[in-house]
Amino acid sequence: MKLRKYIHKLCCFYASDWHLTVMLLPYINSKIEENSSIYMKCENDIEEKMTVLLNKLDIKNKRNIMNINWNNKVQEDDNDNNEKIYIVSGKNSYIENTNKIIEQYYENKDVPVKIINCYEITEEKNLKEIIKENGYTQILNTRGENNIDNKFKM
């Protein structure tokens, strides 16, 4: 499938569900402030971890973050013209299948879509292989969205 110009993909790597939750929270908070629509597609349910973390912090958009529909279907996501941000996390096969569904759904729609594929680093593939195989040019980490520099390229 040819990727439309409106779909942009980034990668992210995490060691545990807690690591993923802590890393994503500042990003989600900032994107909510920009009125982006955020959708979680997680192989492992991290909602409970996000609730625990949010209850320990004084954060401006706490209610909006908890109102994210953590397990919604793609077809339910298209209710506004805001930038759509899909955070997809899990094993490689789950990420590939979920990406196909999102890409097919938005194939003929003219809305900006960002897909952030978050890989568990406990898998056998190394980071450089994942980056090269998927052609990623940006990575999400604790500093936000960043261009991938030469230390990740092969």
Side-chain angles (χ1 to χ4, degrees), residues 20-57:
L20 178 65
T21 305
V22 170
M23 183 173 44
L24 289 176
L25 182 57
Y27 180 79
I28 291 171
N29 188 49
S30 69
K31 290 302 178 179
I32 285 175
E33 288 180 5
E34 295 173 12
N35 291 320
S36 296
S37 299
I38 300 173
Y39 306 103
M40 303 299 295
K41 306 296 180 193
C42 301
E43 188 170 25
N44 298 330
D45 185 2
I46 64 169
E47 183 173 12
E48 183 179 328
K49 289 172 179 57
M50 187 62 80
T51 302
V52 169
L53 184 60
L54 284 170
N55 285 334
K56 294 180 182 217
L57 299 173

Side-chain angles (χ1 to χ4, degrees), residues 2-9 83-85 102 106-115:
K2 184 179 177 188
L3 206 55
R4 289 184 26 260
K5 65 179 179 178
Y6 294 107
I7 296 180
H8 177 70
K9 291 187 179 184
E83 176 187 42
K84 312 289 186 227
I85 299 175
I102 295 167
Y106 286 102
E107 189 172 22
N108 297 314
K109 298 183 186 293
D110 291 331
V111 294
V113 176
K114 186 177 292 180
I115 302 173

Side-chain angles (χ1 to χ4, degrees), residues 9-134:
K9 291 187 179 184
L10 294 88
C11 63
C12 170
F13 300 96
Y14 65 99
S16 69
D17 289 341
W18 276 110
H19 179 220
L20 178 65
T21 305
V22 170
M23 183 173 44
L24 289 176
L25 182 57
Y27 180 79
I28 291 171
N29 188 49
S30 69
K31 290 302 178 179
I32 285 175
E33 288 180 5
E34 295 173 12
N35 291 320
S36 296
S37 299
I38 300 173
Y39 306 103
M40 303 299 295
K41 306 296 180 193
C42 301
E43 188 170 25
N44 298 330
D45 185 2
I46 64 169
E47 183 173 12
E48 183 179 328
K49 289 172 179 57
M50 187 62 80
T51 302
V52 169
L53 184 60
L54 284 170
N55 285 334
K56 294 180 182 217
L57 299 173
D58 183 26
I59 192 165
K60 182 179 176 183
N61 295 309
K62 188 182 293 192
R63 183 176 297 160
N64 292 340
I65 293 169
M66 286 316 303
N67 285 337
I68 292 173
N69 190 353
W70 296 79
N71 294 310
N72 59 345
K73 294 180 171 37
V74 174
Q75 288 76 7
E76 297 170 357
D77 299 343
D78 195 26
N79 59 5
D80 57 41
N81 288 327
N82 295 344
E83 176 187 42
K84 312 289 186 227
I85 299 175
Y86 286 87
I87 299 173
V88 182
S89 71
K91 293 186 173 67
N92 195 46
S93 59
Y94 178 82
I95 290 171
E96 287 177 5
N97 291 334
T98 303
N99 273 242
K100 285 178 188 173
I101 293 168
I102 295 167
E103 290 167 11
Q104 287 172 350
Y105 182 73
Y106 286 102
E107 189 172 22
N108 297 314
K109 298 183 186 293
D110 291 331
V111 294
V113 176
K114 186 177 292 180
I115 302 173
I116 302 171
N117 291 319
C118 303
Y119 296 87
E120 288 181 279
I121 58 173
T122 56
E123 287 191 15
E124 298 163 8
K125 288 186 176 184
N126 71 40
L127 308 183
K128 287 182 180 180
E129 284 179 37
I130 292 171
I131 290 168
K132 184 178 179 182
E133 286 175 4
N134 294 285

